[in-house]
């Protein structure tokens, strides 16, 4: 790399982090503890529907739409492995099959709660799937009993996202 290019490094700056903290806090306040816990509990309940005989790693998801509907999702595996559907993905599919796009437009996700063991967040592919249907949303990580481990934002999980806007569509 030539010297004059060194100022091209990109990392999330303080303003971006503060903006995301403000977004998360504002959404937490607007939704309230009851709704957040309902989402985490719904994700933990959805996890019990998992079909994951190969990984033995059940995951549950609960998607809150911009019009306050909740859709459940869980991971569904196949013997060929790569055809596995992730919990977040099936929640998005459930919402779309119930006409979420028709009713609310492409950006219909307000929050996504996910329940599994461990403290990680959704995989990269699920982050991309969420970015198709939200410019930003809350991501709530819960344990298998439905207790909340952490709450963050999609933009923090997927900064510099590639979105439909980059293709010149809405
Ligand atoms: N899994 C999800 O459902 N969501 C994620 O984002 C992480 C991974 C599932 C897929 C697979 O059935 C199991 O967890 C182990 O990878
Ligand atoms: Zn995933």
């Amino acid at each position: 790399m030539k010297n004059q290019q060194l100022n091209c490094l990109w990392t999330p700056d303080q303003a971006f982090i503060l903006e995301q903290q403000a977004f998360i806090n504002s959404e937490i306040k607007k939704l309230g503890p009851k709704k957040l816990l309902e989402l985490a509990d719904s994700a933990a309940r959805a996890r019990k529907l998992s079909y994951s005989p190969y990984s033995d790693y059940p995951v549950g998801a609960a998607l809150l739409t911009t019009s306050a509907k909740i859709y459940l999702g869980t991971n569904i595996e196949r013997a060929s492995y790569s055809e596995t559907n992730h919990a977040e993905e099936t929640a998005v599919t459930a919402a779309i099959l119930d006409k979420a796009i028709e009713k609310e437009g492409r950006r219909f996700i307000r929050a996504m709660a996910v329940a599994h063991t461990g403290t990680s967040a959704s995989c990269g592919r699920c982050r991309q799937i969420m970015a198709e249907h939200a410019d930003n949303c809350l991501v709530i990580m819960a344990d298998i009993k439905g207790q909340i481990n952490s709450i963050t934002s999609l933009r923090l999980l997927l900064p510099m996202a590639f979105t439909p806007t980059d293709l010149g569509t809405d």
Side-chain angles (χ1 to χ4, degrees):
M1 191 189 279
K2 286 182 188 158
N3 270 348
Q4 65 262 34
Q5 287 185 293
L6 285 175
N7 60 0
C8 298
L9 297 189
W10 184 88
T11 61
D13 61 20
Q14 194 62 18
F16 171 72
I17 292 167
L18 287 173
E19 174 197 284
Q20 291 310 302
Q21 285 173 344
F23 170 79
I24 295 163
N25 284 324
S26 151
E27 284 295 277
I28 286 176
K29 207 169 159 193
K30 281 187 213 156
L31 290 172
K34 197 167 158 245
K35 183 58 68 181
L36 294 170
L37 284 168
E38 181 191 344
L39 285 170
D41 182 65
S42 301
R45 282 189 294 104
R47 179 179 169 274
K48 294 187 178 146
L49 302 171
S50 170
Y51 175 71
S52 46
Y54 309 108
S55 71
D56 198 21
Y57 191 78
V59 182
L63 183 167
L64 178 73
T65 71
T66 48
S67 70
K69 284 194 164 192
I70 294 176
Y71 294 95
L72 304 183
T74 193
N75 54 333
I76 305 167
E77 299 184 344
R78 273 97 203 189
S80 46
Y81 287 23
S82 57
E83 283 69 35
T84 292
N85 298 126
H86 291 200
E88 299 87 327
E89 178 187 13
T90 59
V92 167
T93 302
I96 292 174
L97 286 173
D98 197 34
K99 304 190 175 150
I101 295 178
E102 243 174 72
K103 292 183 208 151
E104 307 180 38
R106 171 172 76 80
R107 300 165 175 87
F108 61 80
I109 304 178
R110 182 163 185 194
M112 179 77 82
V114 189
H116 52 63
T117 59
T119 53
S120 67
S122 301
C123 81
R125 181 167 169 271
C126 286
R127 295 175 196 198
Q128 187 68 40
I129 289 171
M130 287 187 254
E132 186 74 24
H133 300 292
D135 291 338
N136 202 5
C137 68
L138 279 191
V139 181
I140 301 153
M141 307 311 301
D143 70 16
I144 63 173
K145 289 183 176 164
Q147 296 298 304
I148 296 173
N149 276 332
S150 55
I151 306 181
T152 188
S153 72
L154 177 62
R155 290 198 60 202
L156 279 170
L157 293 176
L158 191 66
M160 257 195 173
F162 180 75
T163 71
T165 312
D166 294 297
L167 296 178
T169 65
D170 178 37

